[in-house]
């Protein structure tokens, strides 16, 4: 029997083959993380690229290991068979990465994965050995061949187990664990290779028939260098992707945190940080549901400050803001962790209590609230060293388990008004004789909600439009949109009736959103008729307390109907502007940035100064009708109106006088250079269709009121105007 050669290996090349295997294992563990990307297309791309890169690394380890073998004759490798061995390495890498992408490594998945990978590694190795064509051929020690297959399968199982083990490590330890695992896996792969080499018996007289194919002394170094470069590039790309994913994850977390914060802000009063009406309504609904389900008692206390307006009038807005924040702090100090404390209006707060809420307990709570508010309040801006003392009227109502929970707010509010009529600085429980007014408010709120939703029984909401007239030219330059509600049983319900109900029952924001959408829709309809109208709409304090939502409503409505922002004017009353001066200023700045015109309505009825108003991005003031009504009979009213007009003009603000009903009033206002007039003298508020007809009838009128030419778009002669 011919003698077999004693196989000798170049130690340096053996070390190189091991390093190649270890590096390929390190890259494989890194790529396995990428293959689990949530985006299916990205994961598929990493799987394909990873299979090519990892397969090339494993194949290169085998090839370098083959070149470590020192034979006494020239050797070479059949190119086609070598390529086939490379394909086998890529295939086994694809299997490994696919198993690694799974969420869990079940015993069945481990067994199938390890056997498939072991078979693939053996196919790669022995196909690569077959590329060395010898005559006589290699004689195999089948026991060692079986041992090499066992090593390959065991190494594959270990590799999969190591990868899933690394997932459980803390992030700071995972990289060190990955390096240690790569060294172990590299040793296992190299062990399989050299076990397989030991199974090969090569005749001492063998001749290499493939010596003219792939070969050469520098081929091993070239393959190793090229493979290391490929693996390094893959690892670098993977690291960049991991960094990008971490950055994206941080940005997503920041965005989520910002979204959560914005959502929280939308449910909080910006001045005091307390819950707003929207959040109180939500918690009240949940508390009512718990009460019905579990029999838990529920009560609500409303706290109306006595005489808060004189603080603003005497000491200024910053003093009022300071007082409201201090009131909120004191009330919070008395509320339990599971109670809900909310600010409902300028000087109105509410406290919702669950659990032990008997009359005696509630009376004690109400008295503690009054005592806390009565304590001297020092350090109020503008008040000097003299401490302020506050009192309040507290209304208390129980939820009896029937009817809507929102009735509780109306009941507590009625009780608070009763306490205030009794002189204030006290509390009152809701009683049956107060029920009539509450029932009517609840019914109105129910029907108003139905009207907003377009449901039967709610009646119809509509905007009526009252023209504004330029003083000098007599031209109509725009209109104010005024909300009207036609109730199916009550008939026309005035804004003075349903607006307070909307504010009390948390409907004022959706009502305001409806006005914005309807005004923009009507502007688009007028535009199609050739009428480029300018419309003023009124905003509530609750809308201004949610500036992000308000700006979104305007953006959506303007975009939906392709309306220019300059066609809308937002009017806020002076009292609304002063309710939370800093928050109002920020909200108005957002609206001005959007391109909307801004106006202060009912000027003169609240506490403010033109110096403060100059800091607001407003372009117009509207003098309240109470001054206009007395112009013909009161010298004081004429002096006040003159002063307001002159100071407003000095600040580059236009002035509109509302409530003009007589020619005498109009003459006085013209003489004092008021810019625009509005009132029954010129036209009552009218539906949109009537205004359209009125515009057509008054276009180009030589006498009387006429619509400004600037309100008409350039249309073809046949256009319907």
């Amino acid at each position: 029997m011919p003698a077999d050669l004693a196989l000798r290996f170049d130690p340096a090349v053996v070390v190189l083959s091991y390093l190649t295997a270890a590096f390929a294992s390190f890259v494989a563990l890194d790529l396995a993380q990428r293959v689990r990307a949530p985006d299916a297309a990205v994961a598929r791309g990493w799987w394909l690229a990873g299979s090519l890169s990892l397969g090339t690394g494993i194949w290169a380890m085998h090839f370098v290991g083959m070149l470590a073998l020192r034979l006494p004759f020239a050797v070479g490798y059949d190119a086609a068979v070598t390529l086939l061995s490379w394909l086998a390495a890529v295939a086994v890498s694809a299997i490994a990465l696919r198993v690694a992408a799974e969420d869990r490594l079940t015993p069945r998945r481990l067994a199938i994965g390890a056997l498939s990978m072991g078979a693939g590694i053996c196919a790669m190795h022995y196909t690569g050995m077959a590329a060395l064509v010898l005559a006589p051929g290699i004689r195999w020690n089948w026991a060692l061949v079986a041992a090499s297959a066992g090593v390959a399968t065991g190494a594959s199982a270990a590799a999969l187990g190591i990868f899933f083990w690394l997932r459980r490590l803390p992030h700071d330890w995972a990289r060190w664990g990955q390096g240690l695992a790569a060294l172990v896996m590299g040793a296992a792969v190299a062990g399989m290779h050299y076990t397989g080499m030991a199974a090969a018996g090569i005749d001492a007289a063998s001749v290499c028939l493939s010596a003219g194919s792939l070969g050469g002394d520098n081929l091993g170094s070239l393959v190793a260098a090229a493979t290391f470069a490929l693996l390094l590039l893959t690892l670098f790309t993977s690291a960049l992707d991991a960094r990008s994913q971490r950055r994206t994850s941080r940005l997503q977390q920041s965005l989520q945190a910002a979204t959560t914060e914005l959502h929280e802000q939308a449910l909080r009063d910006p001045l005091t940080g307390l819950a707003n009406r929207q959040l109180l309504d939500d918690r009240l609904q949940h508390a009512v549901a718990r009460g019905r389900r579990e029999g838990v008692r529920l009560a609500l206390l409303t706290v109306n400050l006595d005489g808060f307006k004189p603080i603003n009038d005497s000491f200024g807005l910053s003093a009022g803001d300071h007082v409201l924040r201090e009131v909120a702090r004191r009330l919070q100090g008395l509320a339990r962790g599971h109670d809900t404390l909310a600010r409902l209006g300028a000087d109105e707060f509410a406290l919702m209590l669950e659990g032990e809420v008997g009359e005696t307990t509630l009376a004690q709570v109400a008295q503690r609230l009054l005592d806390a508010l009565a304590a001297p309040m020092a350090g109020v801006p503008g008040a000097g060293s003299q401490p302020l003392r506050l009192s309040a009227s507290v209304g208390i109502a129980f939820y009896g388990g029937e009817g809507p929970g929102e009735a509780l707010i109306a009941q507590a509010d009625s009780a608070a008004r009763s306490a205030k009529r009794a002189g204030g600085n006290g509390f009152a429980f809701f009683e049956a004789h107060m029920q009539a007014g509450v029932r009517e408010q609840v019914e109105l709120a129910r029907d108003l909600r139905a009207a907003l939703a377009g449901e039967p029984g709610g009646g119809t909401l509509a905007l009526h439009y009252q023209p504004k007239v330029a003083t000098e030219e007599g031209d109509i330059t725009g209109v104010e949109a005024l909300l009207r509600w036609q109730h199916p049983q009550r008939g026309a319900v005035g804004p003075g009736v349903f607006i307070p109900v909307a504010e009390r029952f948390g409907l004022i924001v959706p009502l305001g959103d409806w006005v914005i959408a309807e005004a923009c829709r009507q502007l688009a309809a007028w535009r199609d008729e050739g009428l480029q109208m300018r419309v003023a709409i009124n905003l509530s304090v609750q809308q201004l307390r949610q500036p992000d939502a308000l700006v979104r409503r305007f953006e959506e409505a303007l975009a939906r109907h392709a309306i220019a922002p300059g066609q809308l004017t937002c009017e806020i009353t002076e009292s609304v502007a002063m309710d939370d001066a800093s928050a109002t200023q920020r909200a108005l700045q957002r609206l001005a940035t959007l391109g909307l015109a801004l106006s202060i309505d009912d000027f003169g009825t609240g506490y403010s100064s033109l110096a403060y108003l100059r800091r607001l991005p407003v372009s117009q003031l509207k003098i309240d009708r109470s001054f206009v009504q007395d112009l013909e009979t009161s010298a004081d009213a004429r002096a006040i109106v003159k002063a307001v007009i002159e100071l407003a003009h000095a600040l580059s603000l236009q002035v509109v006088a509302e409530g003009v009903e007589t020619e005498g009033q109009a003459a006085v206002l013209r003489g004092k250079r008021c810019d625009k007039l509005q009132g029954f003298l010129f036209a009552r508020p009218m539906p949109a269709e009537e205004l359209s007809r009125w515009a057509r009838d008054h276009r180009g009128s030589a006498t009387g009121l006429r619509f400004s030419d600037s309100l008409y778009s350039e249309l073809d002669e046949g256009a319907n105007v």
Side-chain angles (χ1 to χ4, degrees):
M1 182 176 181
D4 289 341
L5 287 172
L7 301 183
R8 294 184 301 106
F9 298 90
D10 186 329
V13 182
V14 170
V15 172
L16 181 61
S17 68
Y18 167 68
L19 293 177
T20 303
F23 190 32
S25 300
F26 186 86
V27 175
L29 292 169
D30 207 71
L31 288 175
Q33 302 287 351
R34 308 277 79 76
V35 174
R36 301 185 72 243
D39 188 300
V42 172
R44 191 179 302 112
W46 275 113
W47 178 59
L48 294 173
S51 298
L52 291 172
S53 177
L54 178 58
T56 301
I58 295 175
W59 173 84
M61 177 271 150
H62 161 79
F63 203 95
V64 172
M66 291 286 289
L67 293 175
L69 179 63
R70 293 306 182 192
L71 296 174
F73 46 81
V75 298
Y77 300 89
D78 183 271
V81 180
T82 300
L83 176 62
L84 187 61
S85 69
W86 175 78
L87 291 175
V90 172
V92 72
S93 300
I95 295 172
L97 292 176
R98 177 56 63 196
V99 175
E102 300 294 337
D103 292 330
R104 294 188 306 113
L105 185 63
T106 63
R108 181 175 180 273
R109 195 170 287 158
L110 174 63
I112 294 175
L115 289 172
S116 301
M117 291 169 61
I121 292 173
C122 288
M124 179 272 299
H125 176 81
Y126 289 107
T127 302
M129 292 289 290
L132 182 63
V133 184
L134 301 176
I138 299 174
R139 292 185 298 275
W140 295 102
N141 183 332
W142 294 108
L144 290 177
V145 169
S148 70
V151 172
T153 302
S156 300
L160 292 173
I162 287 172
F163 170 72
F164 281 90
W165 169 72
L166 287 175
R167 287 188 191 174
R168 298 196 296 268
L169 290 179
H171 183 268
D172 294 339
W173 294 7
R175 210 63 174 173
W176 292 100
Q178 183 176 330
L180 179 61
L183 295 175
V184 174
M185 289 170 60
V189 173
M192 177 273 156
H193 171 81
Y194 289 107
T195 301
M197 292 291 289
I202 300 176
D203 195 302
S206 290
V207 175
C208 182
L209 303 180
S210 55
S213 297
L214 297 174
D217 293 338
N218 297 321
L219 182 59
S221 299
L222 180 62
V223 169
T227 303
F228 263 83
L230 175 63
L231 292 172
L232 192 61
L233 178 62
T234 303
L235 184 62
F236 179 69
T237 305
S238 177
L240 287 179
D241 179 70
R243 181 180 179 184
S244 175
Q245 286 187 0
R246 288 194 298 271
R247 183 181 180 187
T248 302
S249 177
R250 287 195 299 269
L251 290 174
Q252 288 177 338
Q253 291 173 356
S254 299
L255 180 61
Q256 181 64 38
T259 302
T260 302
E261 182 179 356
L262 287 175
H263 180 69
E264 180 70 16
Q265 288 178 354
L267 299 175
R268 294 286 173 182
D269 173 61
L271 178 64
T272 62
L274 301 180
N276 62 12
R277 176 57 188 263
Q278 182 181 353
L279 182 55
L280 176 64
D281 285 344
D282 181 71
R283 293 186 178 177
L284 185 58
Q285 290 177 9
H286 285 86
V288 166
R290 281 194 299 272
R292 291 171 178 167
R293 185 175 60 251
E294 303 171 9
V296 178
R297 299 195 69 187
L298 172 66
L300 187 79
L301 290 79
T302 58
V303 181
N304 291 336
L305 301 182
D306 298 331
F308 174 72
K309 187 175 181 297
I311 295 176
N312 272 342
D313 294 344
S314 301
F315 305 116
L317 299 174
S318 59
D321 289 351
H322 177 88
V323 168
L324 290 173
R325 284 192 290 266
E326 177 62 18
V327 167
R329 188 190 66 79
R330 294 184 181 187
L331 295 179
Q332 278 181 311
L334 296 174
R336 299 169 300 180
H338 59 278
D339 296 336
T340 297
L341 179 64
R343 183 187 178 203
L344 301 183
D347 57 356
E348 184 178 6
F349 300 82
L351 178 63
M352 187 182 75
L353 305 172
E354 294 183 80
E356 296 298 326
V357 288
E359 285 195 10
T360 302
T361 301
L362 289 175
Q364 293 172 346
V365 171
Q367 190 58 54
R368 285 199 294 269
L369 294 177
L370 294 172
D371 293 342
L373 295 179
M377 190 179 298
V380 177
S385 59
Q386 185 68 26
L388 295 181
R389 294 180 181 272
L390 286 178
S391 64
S393 301
V394 179
I396 308 170
F398 289 99
Y399 181 69
E402 298 179 356
E406 61 191 12
L408 198 62
I409 299 178
Q411 291 173 351
D413 189 57
S414 295
R417 288 201 301 270
S418 176
K420 193 177 288 287
R421 286 193 298 270
N425 194 27
F427 61 87
F429 286 89
F430 176 78
E431 297 177 0
H433 66 81
M434 308 174 186
Q435 185 66 41
V438 170
R439 183 182 296 111
E440 182 179 8
Q441 291 179 24
V442 171
E443 290 174 352
L444 280 173
R446 178 200 62 203
D447 295 342
L448 184 57
R449 186 176 287 107
L452 279 168
E455 298 173 354
T460 56
L461 294 170
L463 292 182
H464 286 197
Y465 301 88
Q466 186 174 36
K468 296 180 181 180
V469 180
T471 307
E472 294 296 329
E473 301 85 359
D475 288 349
I476 295 172
T477 58
V479 295
E480 179 181 2
L482 300 168
L483 185 59
R484 297 292 184 262
W485 181 22
Q486 188 68 26
H487 193 278
Q489 285 82 39
R490 302 171 186 265
V493 181
V497 175
F498 69 79
I499 292 298
V501 171
E503 291 175 338
R504 187 165 294 122
F505 287 87
L507 297 174
I508 195 66
V509 171
L511 199 61
D513 293 344
W514 184 91
V515 170
I516 293 171
E518 175 61 17
C520 290
R521 186 202 64 78
Q522 187 57 55
L523 280 170
W526 277 328
R527 179 190 60 214
D528 295 340
E529 298 177 10
L531 189 60
Q532 294 289 347
M533 191 63 74
R534 299 181 183 91
V535 175
I537 61 176
N538 294 280
L539 300 181
S540 68
V541 63
Q542 284 87 350
Q543 288 174 289
L544 292 175
R545 287 177 182 169
Q546 302 175 30
D548 295 324
L550 181 60
V551 169
R552 280 198 305 273
R553 296 292 182 272
F554 275 113
E555 288 175 338
E556 291 168 359
L558 293 171
R560 184 182 304 116
H561 300 288
I563 300 299
Q567 288 184 257
L568 280 179
T569 298
C570 297
E571 294 187 358
I572 62 170
T573 64
E574 184 182 18
S575 58
V576 167
M578 300 302 108
D579 177 65
D580 186 348
S582 57
T584 299
Q585 186 172 355
R586 290 192 298 271
L588 293 186
Q589 191 61 57
R590 296 278 303 277
L591 297 177
T593 302
L594 192 60
L596 302 171
L598 303 172
S599 174
I600 298 296
D601 197 6
D602 297 342
F603 186 76
T605 60
Y607 176 85
S608 65
S609 68
L610 289 177
Y612 168 74
L613 294 175
R614 186 178 60 178
R615 300 202 298 269
L616 300 178
V618 299
S619 58
Q620 187 182 90
L621 292 182
K622 294 185 72 174
I623 300 175
D624 185 66
R625 64 180 66 247
S626 61
F627 296 102
V628 174
Q629 289 173 352
D630 296 335
L631 280 178
E632 295 178 274
T633 58
S634 171
D636 290 342
R638 289 193 294 271
I640 291 173
V641 168
K642 179 182 178 182
V644 170
I645 292 173
E646 290 179 351
L647 287 172
H649 285 169
L651 295 174
S652 300
L653 300 176
Q654 281 196 334
V655 181
V656 179
E658 60 181 348
V660 180
E661 298 182 357
T662 68
E663 284 289 354
Q665 294 167 352
V668 173
L669 290 165
R670 291 189 187 101
K672 299 187 182 305
R673 297 174 48 243
C674 184
D675 300 292
K676 296 177 183 178
L677 308 179
Q678 178 183 347
F680 290 171
L681 175 64
F682 309 104
R684 291 180 177 273
M686 63 190 79
E689 297 78 9
E690 184 177 338
L691 183 67
S692 298
R693 291 193 299 271
W694 205 58
R696 288 194 293 271
D697 295 342
H698 288 75
R699 184 181 183 187
S701 173
T703 60
L705 294 177
R706 63 188 181 87
F707 277 73
S708 169
D709 290 338
S710 65
L711 295 187
Y712 289 93
S713 58
E714 296 297 330
L715 297 178
D716 295 334
E717 289 297 326
N720 176 22
V721 297

